[in-house]
Amino acid sequence: MNGKRIVLALSLAVLLVCGASAAWHMAAGPDTYNGEGTDLVALYENPQSYDNTTADGAAAVIVNENLDKTAAENVVFSVVFNFRGYDTLGESFILIAAIAGSLVILRKPKAGRQGKEDAA
């Protein structure tokens, strides 16, 4: 019983250190978008007016052809649920399976079962 707690504490400590390290590296990196010079309300109302001449090929195609290929006006929504729908569904099933597996591993044994195992 004590070994399980040590393994759990060690696992949580490793996750905490990895998360803090990733956050530190992301904060030290360059800004990706600072929001200056873009009228977000106008962009939301008319996404076709967005100047994406500096965007690479895939980003330009997604921004320009989003409304033609999908019925979603929000680009992020259309990418996650239309272009990557099956991938997102697969990731959801993997997450649910991981949670269910963790619950099975970390559950407490029932009192009746423990007595039967000790008697054998």
Side-chain angles (χ1 to χ4, degrees):
M1 184 72 166
N2 197 14
K4 285 185 180 180
R5 288 186 179 184
I6 292 172
V7 169
L8 179 63
L10 225 90
S11 301
L12 291 174
V14 168
L15 285 173
L16 180 65
V17 168
C18 289
S21 173
W24 181 265
H25 287 294
M26 287 171 53
D31 290 338
T32 55
Y33 177 70
N34 60 7
E36 294 177 6
T38 303
D39 184 12
L40 295 178
V41 175
L43 179 61
Y44 182 75
E45 291 174 354
N46 187 9
Q48 301 299 337
S49 67
Y50 181 67
D51 178 28
N52 61 354
T53 55
T54 59
D56 64 351
V61 169
I62 288 173
V63 170
N64 287 332
E65 298 181 12
N66 175 51
L67 203 51
D68 298 335
K69 298 204 180 285
T70 68
E73 291 185 12
N74 188 331
V75 176
V76 175
F77 181 86
S78 69
V79 168
V80 171
F81 291 105
N82 291 335
F83 294 121
R84 295 188 58 211
Y86 290 115
D87 185 36
T88 304
L89 184 66
E91 291 169 359
S92 300
F93 282 132
I94 290 171
L95 180 63
I96 290 169
I99 291 170
S102 299
L103 291 175
V104 167
I105 291 171
L106 298 174
R107 74 172 194 257
K108 288 185 177 183
K110 293 181 181 177
R113 288 189 70 187
Q114 191 175 18
K116 291 179 183 177
E117 291 173 0
D118 291 339

